[in-house]
Amino acid sequence: MAKLSGLNSGAIYFLEEDFLILRATTPALEGDPPEKFIRARLQEHPHINDAVHNHKAVYIRDTESEPLTDEERSIAEARQLKSILFVPLLSQERTIGVFITGGTSRHVTLKKAAILLCETLANIAALAAANALHTSKNTD
């Protein structure tokens, strides 16, 4: 999804109650990342919270001019994100996580069609994840 949107960084977080749990990144995180990158309170990330609760992608074209919480800013700076797209992972009208894709080399202007494509791909990924989880529970 990162490459399709013209961005070059990505992360997948799943929701567990009111927490975001990191499952994957591209490029991979180096070393031992801080706990706040691995497990974070949803309420400390209002842009993700908006995507999760409104079931719509949230796009930040310029992280330097966008008001961000301290937690959001520390991640954006650590990952050198100039632009960020937060896409909810929806399964049966329930958000199970969020896909985050960002641009590190420059600010990126995404067209509505690119955002819609990312939302569609995120929905397919969420369906696959929900099916895998359901299958895993049924075989235990």
Side-chain angles (χ1 to χ4, degrees):
M1 194 174 329
K3 288 182 183 177
L4 285 174
S5 63
L7 302 170
N8 58 353
S9 177
I12 295 175
Y13 283 87
F14 283 122
L15 283 171
E16 292 181 10
E17 297 178 15
D18 292 330
F19 287 90
L20 297 162
I21 309 299
L22 181 66
R23 295 296 181 212
T25 65
T26 183
L29 293 174
E30 294 181 13
D32 207 12
E35 178 65 19
K36 66 183 174 182
F37 283 28
I38 307 299
R39 187 174 194 268
R41 288 190 168 284
L42 179 60
Q43 68 190 33
E44 294 172 349
H45 296 268
H47 292 90
I48 295 174
N49 199 14
D50 285 349
V52 164
H53 287 98
N54 294 323
H55 296 182
K56 287 286 199 188
V58 172
Y59 174 58
I60 299 173
R61 184 188 173 283
D62 181 359
T63 59
E64 295 162 4
S65 64
E66 179 76 13
L68 301 174
T69 64
D70 290 343
E71 291 79 9
E72 290 175 315
R73 176 118 1 245
S74 70
I75 292 172
E77 288 174 356
R79 296 290 281 175
Q80 300 176 347
L81 299 172
K82 306 286 187 205
S83 300
I84 309 172
L85 179 65
F86 303 97
V87 185
L89 298 170
L90 301 171
S91 175
Q92 299 178 351
E93 297 186 31
R94 187 176 137 259
T95 306
I96 63 169
V98 63
F99 180 81
I100 304 166
T101 185
T104 60
S105 57
R106 61 185 167 77
H107 299 116
V108 177
T109 301
L110 291 179
K111 295 184 179 184
K112 183 70 174 169
I115 294 172
L116 290 172
L117 175 61
C118 288
E119 287 177 326
T120 300
L121 292 173
N123 290 338
I124 293 167
L127 180 60
N131 285 340
L133 182 61
H134 178 73
T135 301
S136 148
K137 285 182 179 178
N138 285 339
T139 59
D140 290 341

